[in-house]
């Protein structure tokens, strides 16, 4: 594989400093090796900044159980935590890799769903209301992504949806 740009890749702090962007570390109050937060998305929504994260719980080095959480930021640090429960997801299904943007008054959230050791990773999208109610997911049929996780024909991960002329792409 050919990488574009400098190698090794500079840290986020170094990249931010090179461009004059603000940067600071975020500390989660209950983070441990068996209780991790990563793969964040940050979005300004409802006149507040939100950090949407993958929350992994389990034995270090294993897939663990992964959920999505929205943290309302206060002075740049996680404040109130909100578990984002995906309607219709089985108890053993994990969610990860959130991508978020605002459309109208709702937050639009793209994410990956999977069950460790079963089938393929699946890409889905949902809306989150201002009251933090999560809508049933939309399953985008494209490439190997099926109408449900069970219908995938290959792994699908890390799609980045966006708005253009009012439509989601």
């Amino acid at each position: 594989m050919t990488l574009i740009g400098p190698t090794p890749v500079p840290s986020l702090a170094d990249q931010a400093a090179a461009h004059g962007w603000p940067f600071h570390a975020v500390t989660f109050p209950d983070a441990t090796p068996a209780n991790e937060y990563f793969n964040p998305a940050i979005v300004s929504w409802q006149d507040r900044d939100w950090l949407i994260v993958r929350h992994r719980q389990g034995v270090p080095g294993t897939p663990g159980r992964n959920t999505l959480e929205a943290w309302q930021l206060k002075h740049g640090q996680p404040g109130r935590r909100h578990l984002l429960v995906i309607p219709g997801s089985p108890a053993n299904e994990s969610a990860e890799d959130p991508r978020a943007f605002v459309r109208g008054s709702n937050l639009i959230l793209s994410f990956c769903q999977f069950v460790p050791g079963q089938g393929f990773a699946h890409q889905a999208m949902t809306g989150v209301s201002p009251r933090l109610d999560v809508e049933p997911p939309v399953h985008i049929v494209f490439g190997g992504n099926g109408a449900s996780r069970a219908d995938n024909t290959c792994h699908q991960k890390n799609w980045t949806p966006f708005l253009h002329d009012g439509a989601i792409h």
Side-chain angles (χ1 to χ4, degrees):
M1 172 167 61
T2 303
L3 293 176
I4 299 172
T7 54
V9 175
S11 71
L12 290 176
D14 290 343
Q15 292 177 53
H19 293 282
W21 299 333
F23 176 87
H24 66 276
V26 173
T27 304
F28 291 92
D30 59 346
T32 68
N35 194 51
E36 301 176 293
Y37 298 90
F38 52 100
N39 294 5
I42 190 165
V43 64
S44 194
W45 178 49
Q46 301 181 31
D47 298 321
R48 297 176 181 96
D49 289 333
W50 293 85
L51 191 65
I52 316 296
V53 297
R54 171 184 178 182
H55 180 198
R56 183 197 155 289
Q57 295 176 295
V59 177
T62 68
R65 173 77 170 104
N66 297 271
T67 56
L68 299 178
E69 293 182 355
W71 288 76
Q72 185 177 334
L73 296 178
K74 184 175 183 178
H75 307 296
Q77 292 297 319
R80 291 183 47 204
R81 170 197 330 229
H82 304 273
L83 176 64
L84 300 175
V85 176
I86 310 301
S89 292
N92 65 339
E93 188 170 76
S94 285
E96 66 177 19
D97 302 338
R99 308 290 191 264
F101 63 94
V102 176
R103 182 178 192 204
S105 63
N106 287 344
L107 181 69
I108 305 299
L109 185 64
S110 168
F111 57 95
C112 174
Q113 296 173 296
F114 69 98
V115 174
Q118 293 183 18
F120 298 107
H122 175 75
Q123 199 68 34
M125 192 174 346
T126 190
V128 180
S129 78
R131 294 182 354 178
L132 298 170
D133 297 319
V134 181
E135 298 172 4
V138 173
H139 303 280
I140 302 139
V141 178
F142 181 83
N145 207 66
S148 72
R149 185 179 46 77
D151 295 327
N152 272 34
T153 58
C154 63
H155 290 299
Q156 295 292 311
K157 289 188 57 150
N158 300 320
W159 292 7
T160 303
F162 59 94
L163 281 177
H164 177 71
D165 291 336
I168 299 174
H169 298 274

